[in-house]
């Protein structure tokens, strides 16, 4: 069973893509809505939460881990691997970097949370593969709440996108990486802002493709979603974003802190 986990509801974008590439496979998702957002927290805290989140989905029977969250992928993957060395683990940054490298991009923009951009991991990994590339990284913290309010096409959102992306557009980036779980919902508005000459790489989609290609045999089974806080708003978003979910459960955060 695939165990997907994220800081909250944004990782459902990865679940949607996994369902597209691996229809019918058993999947358990944990979203840490009680402690979200992770993107403004310190690396130390994100690492502690990430190990607890991984333990929770493993406790639910997961045999393959997918870190849906860019922030955890940027700062906590080593900690998760160290704690669970024998469990196959996928994260969202490596597939996005592979996609950038395959394009032989020259001027690359990366957008994400403060923690992801502050880690510099995307830039570092892209430069390892494309040493001559120019990488411009930019934190876009306001985009997460706008998505969670469902304001995908709102004038306010377009204004915020313009403000964040103007410098990248100025630098004529040829490739832009959406380095945050929530940004796929804004892909059209972002692509429109960046123009036709800029390819937009969605880390949720390239990650799901990588899991489908490399995960080996996976069992068929239900799709269950677990959240450490299940407000009516969270439940509404989860139902709208993943209508085929077989169950939506609340797990008290204390249980996650105790290790599942
Ligand atoms: N899931 C986070 C990420 O992809 C965004 C939300 C948060 O800050 O927790 O970086």
């Amino acid at each position: 069973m695939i165990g997907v986990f994220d800081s909250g509801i944004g990782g459902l974008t990865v679940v949607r893509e996994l369902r597209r590439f691996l229809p019918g496979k058993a999947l358990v998702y944990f979203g840490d809505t009680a402690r979200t957002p992770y993107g403004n927290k310190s690396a130390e805290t994100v690492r502690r939460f990430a190990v607890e989140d991984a333990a929770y989905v493993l406790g639910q029977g997961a045999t393959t881990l997918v870190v849906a969250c860019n922030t955890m992928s940027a700062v906590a993957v080593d900690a998760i691997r160290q704690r669970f060395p024998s469990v196959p683990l996928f994260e969202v940054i490596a597939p996005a970097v592979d996609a950038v490298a395959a394009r032989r991009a020259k001027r690359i923009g990366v957008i994400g949370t403060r923690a992801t951009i502050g880690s510099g991991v995307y830039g570092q990994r892209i430069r390892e593969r494309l040493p001559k590339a120019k990488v411009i990284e930019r934190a876009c913290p306001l985009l997460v709440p706008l998505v969670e309010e469902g304001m995908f096409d709102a004038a306010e959102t377009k204004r915020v996108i313009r403000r964040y992306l103007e410098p990248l557009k100025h630098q004529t980036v040829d490739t832009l990486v959406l380095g945050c779980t929530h940004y796929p919902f804004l892909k059209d508005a972002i692509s429109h802002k960046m123009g036709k000459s800029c390819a937009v790489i969605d880390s949720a989609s390239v990650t799901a493709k990588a899991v489908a290609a490399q995960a080996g045999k996976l069992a068929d089974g239900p799709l269950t979603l677990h959240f450490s806080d299940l407000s009516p708003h969270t439940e509404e978003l989860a139902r709208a974003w993943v209508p085929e979910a077989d169950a939506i459960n609340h797990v008290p955060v204390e249980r996650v802190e105790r290790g599942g």
Side-chain angles (χ1 to χ4, degrees):
M1 175 158 73
I2 313 169
V4 186
F5 56 102
D6 177 51
S7 57
I9 54 170
L12 294 176
T13 54
V14 176
V15 172
R16 281 153 59 116
E17 293 296 315
L18 283 166
R19 294 306 274 184
R20 202 149 70 85
F21 292 102
L22 290 165
K25 297 297 170 197
L27 191 155
V28 57
Y29 176 86
F30 172 65
D32 195 6
T33 38
R35 303 187 291 191
T36 205
Y38 286 12
N40 295 327
K41 293 191 168 65
S42 68
E44 194 190 356
T45 298
V46 174
R47 276 196 281 274
R48 178 161 57 84
F49 290 174
V51 170
E52 291 171 1
D53 301 347
Y56 179 73
V57 291
L58 289 170
Q60 295 300 305
T63 49
T64 295
L65 292 174
V66 179
V67 185
C69 177
N70 277 262
T71 301
M72 284 195 254
S73 297
V75 304
V77 162
D78 289 350
I80 303 167
R81 286 214 169 101
Q82 213 172 352
R83 178 75 180 75
F84 307 106
S86 59
V87 182
L89 181 144
F90 294 87
E91 44 86 17
V92 288
I93 295 178
V97 171
D98 285 346
V100 170
R103 296 194 79 245
R104 300 194 186 291
K106 293 191 172 57
R107 302 174 71 79
I108 302 122
V110 180
I111 55 174
T113 64
R114 279 207 184 91
T116 298
I117 299 306
S119 75
V121 166
Y122 267 107
Q124 208 176 301
R125 297 226 203 133
I126 292 170
R127 278 187 288 265
E128 276 165 23
R129 302 280 291 279
L130 300 169
K132 292 195 182 130
K134 179 164 176 64
V135 186
I136 306 147
E137 298 174 81
R138 176 125 212 209
C140 302
L142 287 173
L143 297 184
V144 164
L146 288 167
V147 167
E148 294 196 359
E149 288 305 319
M151 295 170 66
F152 308 151
D153 296 317
E156 294 86 342
T157 307
K158 287 185 185 146
R159 264 207 301 279
V160 172
I161 288 175
R162 207 177 314 134
R163 188 188 165 120
Y164 281 142
L165 297 188
E166 200 56 55
L168 302 184
K169 179 136 175 138
H170 239 82
Q171 296 271 347
T172 56
V173 301
D174 56 52
T175 306
L176 178 70
V177 178
L178 305 185
C180 175
T181 44
H182 291 59
Y183 302 170
F185 286 111
L186 304 175
K187 192 170 178 183
D188 288 349
I190 290 172
S191 298
H192 184 255
K193 170 67 194 158
M194 295 309 289
K196 285 203 181 72
S197 56
C198 176
V200 175
I201 294 174
D202 159 359
S203 60
S205 171
V206 290
T207 298
K209 245 186 254 174
V211 176
Q214 296 162 30
K217 206 164 160 37
L218 292 160
D220 289 340
L223 165 59
T224 57
L225 311 179
H226 301 233
F227 295 97
S228 52
D229 180 79
L230 192 56
S231 68
H233 182 60
T234 296
E235 192 163 352
E236 188 189 321
L237 290 181
R239 284 197 196 285
W241 293 357
V242 186
E244 71 273 36
D246 294 294
I248 301 182
N249 302 321
H250 172 226
V251 47
V253 71
E254 297 76 23
R255 202 174 129 194
V256 179
E257 285 165 349
R258 282 199 305 269

